[in-house]
């Protein structure tokens, strides 16, 4: 069998991926652009990829491909209908980075709530050494305890965040973006109620037609001026220009992002103009990428391939 890994570096060069060689001949590419996909998958039986587009344009000449293994949970980069018409199975990996993303969510909330970057810079600038009192709390901050934390998307990661937020004493509410949640542990509210009442709003829902641009000007108008928005889901769920305007006009207090509408971040992105890290923190889509998560990801892909060869469905997203 012939396998191709289109975005080998997307899991980090510190993670061993030689385990795939047990299945056959493997061709490795550090990264692959959309324009390069069709040429690189022509001869393969199994494609292992992350964000590379998988559709008729890229797969039409790949007559041998039988399986696409995504190095991710989300599969919005794949035309599932086309793959199904070709009898190409598509698999993803679930729950491999739950702890890491939930941890990052809490980290962003704490940093923005306590304005940690301001105080770190205050000390390192020499201002603390120059003052005549032992403490400084010029930028007011508040306890997380008794704050209302709203979760949009109560899946596995959302549920883990809810548990951690509860441990800090937050009152957790959630909105089911799909409308299919069966969670009964936390109060379920409509979107307007969540936006209007919550001090922290974190996004953990998949990108769908329903969630694209969900957090826009209208949503920001409903939020508290002291609210913090955290997006560790998908960038297009939040309208970039509307978020910029909301931060500049203080419709909300702060935002923490690990995802953006276009990645990597474009120089023209208006959010790049906001240099105040007490108002905006952006990390480069790395909340999922702990060593443990990336190791688990590769292990799960191996299991997906073995299951396919054993003619057993495992993590198939286009049955």
């Amino acid at each position: 069998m012939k396998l191709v890994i289109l975005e080998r570096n997307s899991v980090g060069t510190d993670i061993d991926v030689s385990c795939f060689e047990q299945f056959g001949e493997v061709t490795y590419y550090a990264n692959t652009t959309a324009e390069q996909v069709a040429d690189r998958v022509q001869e393969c039986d199994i494609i292992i990829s992350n964000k590379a587009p998988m559709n008729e344009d890229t797969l039409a000449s790949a007559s041998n491909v039988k399986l696409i293994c995504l190095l991710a949970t989300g599969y919005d980069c794949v035309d599932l209908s086309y793959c199904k018409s070709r009898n190409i199975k598509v698999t993803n990996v679930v729950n491999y980075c739950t702890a890491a993303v939930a941890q990052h969510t809490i980290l962003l909330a704490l940093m923005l709530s306590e304005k940690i970057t301001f105080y770190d810079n205050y000390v390192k600038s020499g201002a603390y050494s120059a003052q005549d009192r032992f403490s400084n709390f010029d930028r007011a901050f508040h306890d997380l305890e008794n704050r209302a934390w709203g979760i949009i998307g109560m899946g596995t990661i959302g549920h883990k965040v809810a548990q951690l937020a509860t441990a800090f004493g937050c009152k957790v509410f959630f909105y089911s973006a799909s409308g299919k949640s069966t969670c009964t542990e936390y109060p379920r509210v409509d979107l307007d109620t969540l936006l209007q009442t919550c001090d922290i709003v974190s996004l953990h829902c998949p990108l769908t037609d329903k969630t694209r641009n969900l957090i826009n000007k209208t949503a920001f108008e409903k939020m508290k001026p002291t609210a913090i928005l955290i997006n560790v889901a998908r960038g297009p769920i939040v309208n970039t220009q509307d978020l910029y305007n909301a931060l500049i006009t203080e419709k909300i207090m702060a935002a923490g992002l690990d995802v953006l509408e276009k990645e990597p971040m474009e120089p023209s992105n208006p959010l790049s103009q906001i240099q105040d890290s007490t108002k905006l923190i952006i990390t480069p889509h790395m909340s999922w990428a702990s060593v443990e998560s990336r190791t688990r990801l590769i292990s799960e892909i191996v299991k997906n391939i073995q299951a396919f060869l054993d003619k057993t469905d495992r993590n198939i997203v286009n049955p």
Side-chain angles (χ1 to χ4, degrees):
M1 294 189 63
K2 293 185 177 181
L3 298 81
V4 61
I5 303 179
L6 294 177
E7 297 144 295
R8 186 263 175 271
N9 287 2
S10 69
V11 294
T13 56
D14 57 325
I15 302 299
D16 182 16
V17 297
S18 62
C19 50
F20 295 118
E21 294 172 10
Q22 66 185 288
F23 300 113
E25 177 187 341
V26 183
T27 301
Y28 300 91
Y29 294 102
N31 190 41
T32 297
T33 66
E35 294 74 24
Q36 295 170 322
V37 174
D39 181 62
R40 293 181 173 182
V41 301
Q42 279 191 41
E43 304 298 326
C44 71
D45 299 288
I46 297 175
I47 300 170
I48 301 171
S49 66
N50 195 321
K51 303 299 181 189
M54 297 286 119
N55 51 43
E56 186 171 5
D57 289 340
T58 58
L59 298 173
S61 62
S63 58
N64 296 330
V65 66
K66 305 173 184 67
L67 176 67
I68 296 172
C69 295
L70 296 174
L71 292 159
T73 300
Y75 43 85
D76 46 281
C77 60
V78 182
D79 185 336
L80 296 181
S81 297
Y82 174 75
C83 289
K84 189 168 185 177
S85 73
R86 288 269 311 274
N87 199 30
I88 299 171
K89 296 291 187 181
V90 180
T91 67
N92 70 345
V93 180
V94 296
N95 302 337
Y96 70 95
C97 61
T98 299
V101 177
Q103 172 180 296
H104 196 79
T105 304
I106 298 296
L107 171 68
L108 290 173
L110 288 171
M111 289 188 69
L112 291 166
S113 293
E114 293 206 22
K115 300 177 174 59
I116 292 299
T117 54
F118 168 80
Y119 288 110
D120 181 53
N121 290 334
Y122 184 83
V123 173
K124 290 175 179 175
S125 71
Y128 180 48
S129 297
Q131 72 175 41
D132 59 2
R133 66 187 195 277
F134 78 95
S135 182
N136 183 285
F137 41 87
D138 289 348
R139 295 283 186 94
F141 57 93
H142 302 275
D143 297 339
L144 280 187
E145 188 171 22
N146 292 320
R147 294 277 157 178
W149 190 308
I151 292 175
I152 297 179
M154 188 57 87
T156 304
I157 293 175
H159 191 265
K160 183 66 173 180
V161 170
Q163 292 177 328
L164 295 175
T166 299
F168 278 97
C170 293
K171 301 172 182 176
V172 173
F173 303 86
F174 80 96
Y175 166 70
S176 174
S178 67
K180 300 177 182 178
S181 175
T182 58
C183 177
T184 57
E185 295 174 61
Y186 305 96
R188 178 172 172 174
V189 297
D190 59 60
L191 181 59
D192 283 355
T193 299
L194 184 144
L195 294 173
Q196 291 165 3
T197 60
C198 288
D199 302 291
I200 299 171
V201 175
S202 59
L203 307 180
H204 309 285
C205 52
L207 178 62
T208 65
D209 289 341
K210 187 175 181 179
T211 61
R212 186 179 297 273
N213 208 42
L214 181 69
I215 306 301
N216 54 20
K217 180 181 178 181
T218 301
F220 289 122
E221 293 286 348
K222 295 172 182 176
M223 294 174 70
K224 294 181 177 183
T226 54
I228 295 172
L229 174 72
I230 297 171
N231 187 9
V232 292
R234 286 291 184 266
I237 296 172
V238 179
N239 183 288
T240 299
Q241 186 63 53
D242 291 350
L243 173 58
Y244 171 80
N245 294 338
L247 290 169
I248 292 299
T249 60
E250 299 184 347
K251 293 292 184 184
I252 64 171
M253 184 179 76
L257 311 176
D258 186 53
V259 289
L260 297 164
E261 280 194 82
K262 293 185 179 180
E263 298 170 346
M265 187 177 191
E266 296 181 325
S268 60
N269 188 317
L271 295 175
S272 64
Q273 300 175 40
I274 301 177
Q275 297 295 306
D276 182 355
S277 293
T278 65
K279 185 181 290 290
L280 176 65
I281 295 176
I282 303 176
T283 52
H285 204 146
M286 44 69 71
S287 64
W288 64 277
S290 68
V291 171
E292 292 81 4
S293 292
R294 291 181 287 124
T295 300
R296 193 177 301 117
L297 175 62
I298 295 302
S299 174
E300 288 296 304
I301 295 290
V302 169
K303 292 176 183 177
N304 285 347
I305 294 174
Q306 188 61 58
F308 173 78
L309 296 177
D310 293 340
K311 302 187 185 307
T312 301
D313 284 352
R314 185 178 194 272
N315 292 331
I316 301 293
V317 298
N318 65 334

